[in-house]
Amino acid sequence: MKTILTGIRVNSEPTLGNYLGALLPMVRLANEHKNDYHINIFVPDLHSIISDVDGDLQKNLVRSLKIYLAAGLEPNENVHFYRQSRVPAHSELMWILNTVATMGELSRMTQYKEKSEGKTSVNAGIFTYPVLMAADILLYDAEYVPVGEDQFQHLELTRNLAMRVNNRFNTELFVPPVKTEEQVKFMTVGNALRIRDLQNPEKKMSKSTKSENSKIMMSDAPEVAAKKIMSATTDSLAKIQYDMFNQPGISNLLQIEALVNDLSLQDVISTWAGETRYGDLKQKVASSVKTMLEDFQNKIAQIPDATIYEYLEMGEVYANGVANKKLAIVKQAFGLC
Ligand code: ATP
Ligand code: MG
């Protein structure tokens, strides 16, 4: 059985954009494929400590997994939750792959360039974390790794490292993940979707945006989120239609309305066609978002921490089993045993 692998970032709370654009599509993908694939959902806590963590890492990771369940993930025996730091093979394989990756290729990583730019001191983890990511993937022969565009380059690096090792030993030691174009096809939903900043709808909503009114956090009080929608920037055309170029604010509201209610965008556009009162649309979207958040937050409150730890412990038994087996073969090839 093949493996789909995804890491969940636990450094901070997701925005409505992260939720609708990344989390929900991943949950759908997992539910859709969990009978014919292993679904590895891991917490890359070793990656987390490369940069600042908002709050407490342990609390965040429990909450992040609850978010997956509240978003509708229905785990079966093929869905595995685990913490990267509880599977030591990740760190060990990373070291081995460090001897395969070159300084040149790591220096070319855009993420590294962006994250180190202008800084006088940069921790070495920022430079080498793509190698850890390669280990995360290759230990499980994971062919599908749904990631955002910003990670495509790292996925290509993973493929290159896998093929380099395979060539060196003339065996199929590693299964390289499929090419990014094929990953995108497999993932279909969510790729092009960008929820916009509520105040500056020309930009996408981002959690790092300073202005609180620009973004809705999944932990926002539902009332507060509704107010943010009510104060969203629109335009003066007095026409409710989907036109991201000329009316990004209104288009964004239509988009949110569709996604939050699980309706097709086309249906929502038709419902509002010919309408002119932006206040009415805002009120409807505000109420939809409020209801969604109430429901989501209630679900989270009902999941005990113990449930998450049970999933993690089960998943870690599975992950250690698979990862150690792969690591043993790799160590043998490298003459380490
Ligand atoms: P930051 O401001 O720190 O970059 P972010 O909100 O852009 O935060 P990321 O951590 O960069 O979030 O991305 C997490 C995931 O959410 C990625 O898969 C990304 O494609 C997706 N995503 C981010 N912003 C949006 C958005 N506005 N709409 C839809 N998906 C989004
Ligand atoms: Mg981002």
Side-chain angles (χ1 to χ4, degrees):
M1 207 154 73
K2 293 182 176 181
T3 295
I4 301 173
L5 176 137
T6 185
I8 20 176
R9 305 209 346 184
V10 298
N11 284 42
S12 50
E13 182 70 17
T15 64
L16 181 68
N18 303 145
Y19 182 75
L20 297 175
L23 242 131
L24 266 190
M26 182 57 217
V27 165
R28 296 223 169 98
L29 190 81
N31 281 338
E32 193 182 319
H33 290 294
K34 68 187 180 197
N35 292 320
D36 41 338
Y37 285 83
H38 284 289
I39 315 282
N40 290 16
I41 300 178
F42 78 106
V43 175
D45 50 356
L46 297 172
H47 287 287
S48 292
I49 59 170
I50 292 173
S51 50
D52 293 340
V53 177
D54 290 349
D56 178 299
L57 186 55
Q58 296 304 312
K59 285 202 183 114
N60 291 2
L61 79 84
V62 170
R63 180 168 163 84
S64 297
L65 293 171
K66 286 184 184 176
I67 287 177
Y68 264 75
L69 299 180
L73 178 68
E74 289 163 353
N76 67 359
E77 68 284 1
N78 296 330
V79 177
H80 315 287
F81 292 122
Y82 54 94
R83 290 160 281 195
Q84 187 184 36
S85 64
R86 303 293 174 112
V87 187
H90 289 242
S91 311
E92 220 176 321
L93 180 60
M94 182 211 181
W95 178 258
I96 295 173
L97 293 176
N98 260 341
T99 68
V100 177
T102 67
M103 296 289 287
E105 65 191 340
L106 294 182
S107 311
R108 283 194 296 275
M109 294 294 126
T110 318
Q111 287 277 304
Y112 164 68
K113 288 192 218 160
E114 280 175 13
K115 291 197 166 137
S116 59
E117 201 180 295
K119 300 221 170 105
T120 44
S121 170
V122 175
N123 78 59
I126 289 187
F127 186 65
T128 54
Y129 93 90
V131 185
L132 179 56
M133 183 169 157
D136 298 338
I137 296 168
L138 297 176
L139 280 172
Y140 303 91
D141 293 343
E143 288 184 58
Y144 293 103
V145 189
V147 289
E149 233 165 281
D150 58 346
Q151 296 295 323
F152 283 178
Q153 210 185 4
H154 296 160
L155 216 52
E156 282 305 317
L157 173 76
T158 303
R159 283 173 52 77
N160 289 336
L161 294 178
M163 293 186 289
R164 201 173 303 157
V165 172
N166 287 352
N167 280 340
R168 187 195 294 184
F169 299 111
N170 202 16
T171 64
E172 300 300 306
L173 210 57
F174 289 127
V175 175
V178 303
K179 289 199 177 113
T180 42
E181 308 89 77
E182 285 173 54
Q183 300 274 355
V184 171
K185 271 191 225 142
F186 186 71
M187 187 63 185
T188 52
V189 261
N191 280 305
L193 176 73
R194 282 290 171 260
I195 299 299
R196 303 303 180 102
D197 180 304
L198 296 175
Q199 294 300 313
N200 303 294
E202 316 67 49
K203 296 194 308 183
K204 77 165 197 73
M205 185 182 287
S206 288
K207 58 177 154 338
S208 54
T209 305
K210 291 267 157 23
S211 147
E212 288 301 325
N213 277 336
S214 286
K215 56 189 179 186
I216 290 176
M217 307 306 292
M218 293 306 287
S219 55
D220 276 353
E223 278 301 334
V224 171
K227 283 205 183 104
K228 290 181 182 177
I229 297 282
M230 292 309 293
S231 67
T233 302
T234 51
D235 55 65
S236 52
L237 297 176
K239 227 176 169 183
I240 300 183
Q241 59 181 6
Y242 190 85
D243 177 352
M244 235 348 147
F245 188 72
N246 294 305
Q247 297 182 264
I250 288 296
S251 306
N252 192 36
L253 292 177
L254 291 169
Q255 177 75 267
I256 293 174
E257 173 68 5
L259 289 165
V260 161
N261 295 307
D262 202 13
L263 296 169
S264 82
L265 178 59
Q266 212 43 57
D267 283 350
V268 174
I269 294 170
S270 311
T271 304
W272 289 91
E275 300 287 338
T276 55
R277 290 154 57 118
Y278 289 178
D280 292 352
L281 175 65
K282 282 185 173 180
Q283 221 130 38
K284 177 69 181 70
V285 180
S287 141
S288 298
V289 167
K290 184 167 164 266
T291 307
M292 185 276 284
L293 280 180
E294 278 165 358
D295 180 50
F296 173 80
Q297 293 172 3
N298 277 338
K299 282 188 186 142
I300 290 197
Q302 279 163 20
I303 306 168
D305 287 7
T307 305
I308 301 300
Y309 285 114
E310 275 165 31
Y311 279 127
L312 283 170
E313 276 152 29
M314 266 185 322
E316 283 154 12
V317 171
Y318 167 83
N320 274 299
V322 175
N324 287 338
K325 214 155 131 193
K326 176 65 80 180
L327 182 65
I329 303 171
V330 175
K331 281 171 120 176
Q332 205 161 28
F334 279 82
L336 293 165
C337 60

